[in-house]
Amino acid sequence: MKIVKNFVLDQKDSKPIILDYYCSELSNKMPLIIFCHGYKGFKDWGAWDLVAEEFANNNFIFVKFNFSHNGGTAKNPIDFPDLDAFGNNNFSLELNDLDRVIEFILNEKTFSNKIDFKKVYLIGHSRGGGICAIKASEDLRIKGLITWAGVSDFKIRFNENSEEFEKWKSKGVKYVENGRTKQLMPHYFQFYLDFKKNEKRFNIKSCVENLKIPYLIIHGDKDFSVKKEEALNLFSWNKNNSISIIQGSNHTFETKHPWEEKYLSKELKKVIRETISFINSI
């Protein structure tokens, strides 16, 4: 297996993107999967390395990356040393980052020489699922979409009619504690302003309704971070969609960070198995 870790994708006037590339040693062309992490996530979270290896062992090219403003850096892609970048993140930046990764992987010969360009797929976890749904609705290069515990609505998460929202608006920043690192992570009000400016584009419902490609929704029935009802909404918005509810599974499919086991949870193993089966059926 060929593994490239922490490749730095630079672009003038933009923050770098750090990505990982996993590929089997087979000589034939293979499907490409690009994976997007979620809120307060990163490419090396929990069992994501094992996930990448599992897909590569099943003859997929698997690329995962850190969004440029997720709070990590090239020197420390796992934790959140750059909280100012985290606070300045928004959906526009994440969509632009995903486009940068797709463009690079499909056009850089070192990485693209084994790709079957008719088989390019996106997988998004949690908030990353919403980003992938928007991108898949816009980009004809994407041939299939899979979301794992994906969100169905960005707007409701702002709680626009709440006292908390008004405080955020007046102060220009709010803080959310990271349960693992205990950091107070800033969210600048620009995040909401970017959403309002692009609200039509960021409507996940309309994006899913307009999808012309196969879409698989996978969700745990014990997910208390993104409720199962969101998965049911995603499923209902397009008659071509498929859905799989993983029984007894939480938001991260019974894994956590750090994940020190050498194997996947049975729930995440099932997620991968169903994802592969779905892709092979397209």
Side-chain angles (χ1 to χ4, degrees):
M1 182 186 304
K2 178 182 179 181
I3 300 176
V4 178
K5 289 283 290 183
N6 297 325
F7 182 91
V8 179
L9 176 54
D10 281 311
Q11 180 173 296
K12 187 179 179 181
D13 299 325
S14 299
K15 290 183 69 64
I17 293 172
I18 316 301
L19 63 82
D20 298 341
Y21 173 94
Y22 289 70
C23 180
S24 82
E25 296 294 349
L26 291 180
S27 59
N28 56 299
K29 300 288 186 179
M30 288 172 279
L32 168 68
I33 291 172
I34 296 177
F35 175 83
C36 293
H37 67 73
Y39 172 63
K40 288 193 289 188
F42 44 96
K43 66 179 180 61
D44 299 298
W45 186 93
W48 294 153
D49 278 352
L50 293 177
V51 167
E53 291 175 8
E54 187 77 6
F55 276 102
N57 285 332
N58 281 276
N59 303 325
F60 289 84
I61 297 168
F62 192 93
V63 173
K64 55 189 177 75
F65 67 98
N66 280 355
F67 286 111
S68 64
H69 286 66
N70 82 320
T73 63
K75 290 184 178 180
N76 187 352
I78 292 177
D79 291 318
F80 303 98
D82 192 348
L83 289 178
D84 189 61
F86 180 89
N88 279 298
N89 194 19
N90 56 51
F91 299 136
S92 291
L93 285 170
E94 292 194 350
L95 283 162
N96 185 59
D97 288 346
L98 179 52
D99 189 67
R100 283 171 62 188
V101 171
I102 294 170
E103 285 286 338
F104 177 76
I105 293 296
L106 293 183
N107 291 290
E108 171 56 47
K109 290 184 179 178
T110 305
F111 297 110
S112 65
N113 61 342
K114 289 189 174 184
I115 295 173
D116 183 340
F117 290 91
K118 295 180 180 178
K119 297 180 178 181
V120 178
Y121 308 102
L122 297 180
I123 297 178
H125 177 252
S126 195
R127 186 167 106 181
I131 294 298
C132 286
I134 295 167
K135 184 60 178 170
S137 73
E138 297 177 344
D139 194 325
L140 294 176
R141 296 171 296 185
I142 308 305
K143 304 305 180 185
L145 169 67
I146 305 96
T147 55
W148 296 352
V151 300
S152 65
D153 191 332
F154 285 146
K155 183 181 178 68
I156 59 171
R157 289 172 162 78
F158 289 107
N159 296 315
E160 291 167 298
N161 296 318
S162 67
E163 183 179 340
E164 180 188 19
F165 178 84
E166 290 303 320
K167 287 181 179 179
W168 185 29
K169 182 178 180 180
S170 64
K171 291 184 177 180
V173 62
K174 66 178 179 178
Y175 296 89
V176 175
E177 183 177 2
N178 186 307
R180 178 176 64 87
T181 67
K182 305 306 178 185
Q183 293 166 291
L184 291 177
M185 307 185 77
H187 296 68
Y188 301 122
F189 197 65
Q190 64 79 30
F191 183 65
Y192 174 76
L193 296 177
D194 175 73
F195 170 77
K196 288 300 291 183
K197 182 180 178 180
N198 301 282
E199 188 169 354
K200 184 176 180 180
R201 183 189 184 198
F202 297 160
N203 186 310
I204 297 171
K205 181 176 186 287
S206 64
C207 290
V208 172
E209 287 175 338
N210 291 324
L211 280 178
K212 301 295 191 295
I213 58 174
Y215 174 22
L216 172 65
I217 300 116
I218 301 182
H219 216 98
D221 71 335
K222 297 292 191 280
D223 187 339
F224 301 116
S225 298
V226 178
K227 300 294 178 60
K228 181 178 71 174
E229 285 70 26
E230 296 206 47
L232 298 176
N233 287 337
L234 291 168
F235 175 60
S236 72
W237 291 335
N238 192 311
K239 62 182 176 60
N240 295 317
N241 292 350
S242 304
I243 191 170
S244 174
I245 302 297
I246 308 298
Q247 300 300 315
S249 181
N250 65 8
H251 186 57
T252 53
F253 306 103
E254 302 305 306
T255 61
K256 61 183 180 179
H257 187 84
W259 184 253
E260 296 173 347
E261 311 293 348
K262 302 300 182 186
Y263 53 85
L264 294 160
S265 67
K266 71 179 189 296
E267 291 82 5
L268 191 48
K269 187 94 172 177
K270 184 175 183 181
V271 169
I272 295 171
R273 187 167 64 248
E274 296 199 2
T275 298
I276 291 173
S277 177
F278 170 76
I279 290 174
N280 288 339
S281 72
I282 296 175

